[in-house]
Amino acid sequence: MNYRRPDRWPTDRASALQLQSIASQAVEINSNVAEPRSIVAVDTDYGFAGQILYAAAVVLSFPEMEEIERSFARMDVKFPYYPGLLFYREGPVILEALSKLATDPEVIMINGHGIDHPDRCGMASHIGMLFDKPSIGCARKILAATHRPLDKTRGSIQPMILNGKEVGLALRSKESVKPIFVSPGHKCDLRFAHDIVTRSLRGFRLPEPMRVAHLLANRYRQRSEKQRAGTTDLVTSEQLA
């Protein structure tokens, strides 16, 4: 997958906030999005006392949810954690994993937020803009918006409101489990994001692309740490099947 490389990466919180404010002006939210034939999801995991970031990207056919391709990347952590600025911490390794894919999926699903964000420009928005593709944020934790209580029934939703505007949905993806938080990132709207996530559910809390990416990232981190400790051989994509 090809993407537009950022002109520069921030070195501190002030410069990150400035860059994010500029980026937020380029986010596009629209409803004219074609039905995808494939989706790529990417997730990360931290290893070695939080010093190394591991990323796994997986492409699945849509709506069948059959795997097409996967890729991995790892990098040293170089930017501190600040709420709302996760892209500048995890973005480099996510971009690296996605760029290794030979497949060119139509939609990107990110473990993070889209316009459900104080600057209306979360991780999903950044990634969508750099790849110039529709992107969806699918987060496990709420960030800035609020919502009313959800019914415990699978499929229950509540609008997520931020500064008086609807920016996402709290979705009960599995009965009696914690909701997930869905928001459009770039080049799509909330209806599209909700539809794609709902149709990607396969009985788990996370939609299937995110679930697989999450498991792969965790497995990649575990095997890489064992490798560095000298207890296993070199990690390959085939070993992570």
Side-chain angles (χ1 to χ4, degrees):
M1 291 177 67
N2 297 318
Y3 68 98
R4 176 179 58 81
R5 297 184 181 275
D7 295 331
R8 63 188 178 96
W9 289 96
T11 57
D12 54 38
R13 184 173 181 270
S15 58
L17 287 170
Q18 182 182 34
L19 287 173
Q20 186 154 270
S21 178
I22 295 171
S24 67
Q25 299 174 29
V27 175
E28 298 177 23
I29 300 299
N30 58 62
S31 58
N32 187 24
V33 188
E35 174 91 353
R37 294 167 296 176
S38 59
I39 297 173
V40 61
V42 62
D43 201 359
T44 59
D45 200 2
Y46 287 83
F48 295 100
Q51 299 176 33
I52 297 180
L53 262 170
Y54 298 87
V58 61
V59 182
L60 301 185
S61 63
F62 185 84
E64 299 85 5
M65 296 291 110
E66 296 177 354
E67 184 173 332
I68 298 172
E69 188 182 4
R70 60 176 67 172
S71 64
F72 304 91
R74 63 182 173 188
M75 291 183 180
D76 292 341
V77 176
K78 297 180 179 180
F79 192 78
Y81 170 74
Y82 297 109
L85 295 174
L86 192 61
F87 170 72
Y88 299 108
R89 182 175 173 87
E90 299 188 2
V93 74
I94 288 174
L95 294 173
E96 179 68 15
L98 290 171
S99 71
K100 291 182 177 180
L101 295 169
T103 314
D104 192 27
E106 292 87 358
V107 173
I108 303 172
M109 190 178 291
I110 296 291
N111 173 24
H113 298 269
I115 62 170
D116 166 30
H117 183 278
D119 294 322
R120 293 179 65 85
C121 188
M123 177 78 78
S125 300
H126 282 284
I127 300 297
M129 286 188 288
L130 291 175
F131 283 93
D132 194 29
K133 290 181 180 291
S135 60
I136 298 169
C138 184
R140 295 187 283 270
K141 295 181 180 180
I142 200 164
L143 179 62
T146 59
H147 65 85
R148 294 180 178 178
L150 282 84
D151 187 86
K152 292 185 177 181
T153 307
R154 180 184 184 274
S156 298
I157 60 173
Q158 283 292 340
M160 297 173 64
I161 307 299
L162 181 62
N163 297 326
K165 296 182 179 180
E166 185 175 2
V167 293
L169 291 171
L171 168 65
R172 187 82 68 187
S173 53
K174 185 177 181 181
E175 188 163 348
S176 298
V177 303
K178 294 179 180 180
I180 55 177
F181 305 99
V182 179
S183 58
H186 181 61
K187 282 200 165 183
C188 67
D189 61 7
L190 183 53
R191 179 177 295 182
F192 178 84
H194 177 222
D195 177 62
I196 295 298
V197 168
T198 300
R199 292 167 63 191
S200 298
L201 293 172
R202 294 296 185 272
F204 298 92
R205 182 190 179 200
L206 294 177
E208 192 66 3
M210 283 304 317
R211 188 183 77 86
V212 175
H214 174 71
L215 291 174
L216 287 174
N218 182 265
R219 198 177 304 168
Y220 180 44
R221 189 264 305 166
Q222 290 177 340
R223 295 212 175 192
S224 295
E225 291 189 342
K226 288 180 179 179
Q227 175 193 331
R228 285 191 59 169
T231 57
T232 188
D233 294 330
L234 180 67
V235 179
T236 66
S237 296
E238 289 74 19
Q239 287 176 301
L240 292 169

